[in-house]
Structure formats: C-alpha cells, structure tokens
Amino acid sequence: MKLMLFALLGAISLSACAQGPQSGATAAKAPGAQAASAGQAAPAGLAPRAAAGTPEARAIAAVHALNPRVTIEKVNAAPLPGFREVVVQGQVVYVSDDGRYLFLPGPQGALFDATTKQDLSEQTLARIRKDLLKAIPVSERIVFAPPNPKYTVSIFTDVECAYCRKFHSEIAEYNRQGIAVQYLAFPRMGLGSEDHKKMISVWCAPDRKKALTDAKNDRPLPARDCKNTVTMQYDIGQRAGLTGTPMIIAEDGTTVGGYLPPQRLREALDRLAHGGVAAPAGATDPVASTGG
C-alpha cells in the first residue's frame, strides 16, 4: 500500500495508530502542552500549548494519535481555509479544524482520515491502478505461481535493478509463502534504452520465465524483436504512479511498496486481507527516465 503516512513527516508511523484521537482537553494536558502557545516554537520533545476545544488542540491531538512521540513545533492558521498548519519535526502537515483530516502536501501528498486511519488518496489511486492493470492480460505477464496461491501480486519489474534481482532470487520462497507473482515490464532506463531492448527480448522469448531469470542473472540473452506489449506496460506503470522498481501491487490495486522479504510480504498481504495497512514502503531502485 502506498500509505505514505507510514513516512509522514519522516516520523509518524501507522504502526502506532491503535490509539484513537484524543479530545482537545486531553491534548492540552499532554506532556509539554504548556511549553508554548500555538504559533510559537516549542522546545524539543514538547508540544505547543493550546486551549481545550480549539482547532489547535484538535490538530495536536490528531497528530499525536498517530505517534505521541513526535515533536510538534508550531500550530498556525493555514492558508487553506478550515485547516491548521502544523510543523512536525521540521515538516508541514495540514489538519482540518475538526481534527479528522490530515493533508500531507508534496509530490506524494495524501489526504488521511485520522479517525478511520485510512489514506483516502490511496483508496482512489488503488481503484485507478486496478482498472489500469485490467488492460494487461495474464497472457502478457510472466507468472511464477504455486499450485493454489493465497494471494496474487502484480509487480512492475526491470531486468537491471538490484532490488528486482534480489526479489527474483527469492521467487521460490515467495511461492512457498502462497504468493503468486505476475511480472509486468517496466524498463526503468526509459524507452529506447538498452534496458528496454533487453525486456523486449525477454517478452519475445519462447520461454519468457527462463529468459527473465537469465536476464536478471546476467546470462546471455539472444536479442529478439516481435509484436509485444512492453511499451504499453511501461506506459501503464507510469500512469499507475511508479517512481521506482520493483512496484508491488495487491489484487485490490493497493501498493505494497518495493522489495520486501518473502515472509514480510506475506505478513503485509495478510494485514491487507484483514482490513489493515500493508507495511512500510519496501526498497526500490529509482527510475532514471519517466519520459522515455
């Protein structure tokens, strides 16, 4: 799952979300709540002071509901009507005046419901990804699957990236964990690159599974060309929001992140199946070109 609020402000983790939002009165009595008035910087480890029942108090409570250990430095009026601007450990998040919604700005921004612990932006994107992936039939994917898989993941992969290779080196264990892997092509060096040509050779090989394994292990790969969907898959990867490979997508369109060891990926999928969050983002190799 994308859920960039795992890395919210570099510190707030959804693994600490069991506690519900506090009331304004509770927030005002939190340790350090008397350190400074809202809008003034608080000493390290403390929170600004805010009167109970105010938007400032609710903003503090909403952030601390996610992680009570972070330092809230300032709470100010926001340029966005109906929100407070909260500075948390040097970064900015916007909290609605009722304390329910948190908006994380930036390229990977998200709108988060602090009450239900859901990334609302990710829910919308997951539906979009699920629809996008329907354009790539299973016949155009390279599939490694156990006899009766518990889960199926779609993975945008590259033959050169280190984390893609690490993932593939453990493919048998992912299958033993009950995970079917359906690989999709994403030559991260861009269209027309040598990387792109290698992936076309893989997709044009009579045995794609062997060709992909050989390519990821630097074994000789005969150059081939044919009518293929590599470029189309690359385009869909871009539209799905890919910024690095591997990109692991669950059946509902949720991104599980990048490389995760087999057991951790199974645990992440188990959590998703029970309505929880997946896991912190795994490791990826960044794409060198998004324009081709």
Side-chain angles (χ1 to χ4, degrees):
M1 179 178 283
K2 183 180 175 182
L3 276 172
M4 286 298 100
L5 287 160
F6 268 119
L8 176 59
L9 316 178
I12 299 176
S13 170
L14 291 180
S15 63
C17 285
Q19 177 186 359
Q22 299 169 297
S23 67
T26 304
K29 294 178 182 179
Q34 302 302 314
S37 59
Q40 294 179 328
L46 303 179
R49 180 176 61 200
T54 62
E56 288 75 16
R58 287 190 286 268
I60 292 169
V63 173
H64 277 162
L66 295 177
N67 189 336
R69 295 180 296 278
V70 296
T71 299
I72 298 175
E73 298 166 5
K74 290 185 180 182
V75 182
N76 300 309
L80 183 65
F83 282 77
R84 300 294 102 178
E85 182 180 77
V86 185
V87 181
V88 184
Q89 299 186 184
Q91 299 197 43
V92 174
V93 63
Y94 296 101
V95 182
S96 62
D97 287 346
D98 61 5
R100 178 163 184 175
Y101 299 103
L102 291 87
F103 174 64
L104 182 65
Q108 299 296 321
L111 179 65
F112 187 68
D113 188 322
T115 301
T116 63
K117 308 298 186 288
Q118 293 179 319
D119 184 338
L120 303 180
S121 302
E122 172 60 22
Q123 290 181 344
T124 299
L125 291 172
R127 290 192 292 270
I128 293 172
R129 290 188 206 102
K130 185 176 180 179
D131 287 341
L132 284 170
L133 292 180
K134 291 177 182 177
I136 308 172
V138 175
S139 62
E140 284 301 314
R141 306 177 185 207
I142 300 179
V143 180
F144 290 80
N148 297 293
K150 174 72 173 177
Y151 302 111
T152 298
V153 294
S154 300
I155 303 181
F156 283 97
T157 192
D158 173 74
V159 295
E160 299 288 352
C161 87
Y163 284 112
C164 298
R165 290 183 171 196
K166 181 170 178 59
F167 184 100
H168 193 65
S169 72
E170 300 171 289
I171 195 68
E173 183 58 30
Y174 289 105
N175 287 170
R176 279 191 288 269
Q177 291 287 338
I179 303 169
V181 173
Q182 297 186 353
Y183 281 125
L184 308 173
F186 194 91
R188 68 190 182 93
M189 298 307 292
L191 301 182
S193 65
E194 286 301 311
D195 190 24
H196 182 215
K197 294 174 184 176
K198 283 185 182 180
M199 298 205 77
I200 289 175
S201 294
V202 168
W203 254 258
C204 290
D207 185 342
R208 291 176 178 173
K209 292 172 69 172
K210 181 179 184 301
L212 183 67
T213 301
D214 286 346
K216 286 178 180 284
N217 285 282
D218 289 327
R219 298 188 189 118
L221 182 68
R224 291 186 172 93
D225 197 4
C226 65
K227 184 178 180 180
N228 64 83
T229 59
V230 170
T231 298
M232 182 265 281
Q233 292 183 42
Y234 176 85
D235 177 64
I236 288 176
Q238 287 187 310
R239 292 166 63 191
L242 186 150
T243 57
T245 51
M247 181 186 191
I248 304 174
I249 305 176
E251 291 176 88
D252 67 351
T254 298
T255 57
V256 182
Y259 168 79
L260 290 173
Q263 185 173 346
R264 284 189 62 200
L265 180 57
R266 173 59 192 259
E267 291 168 354
L269 294 171
D270 284 342
R271 284 193 293 271
L272 274 178
H274 290 89
V277 296
T284 64
D285 288 290
V287 297
S289 171
T290 57

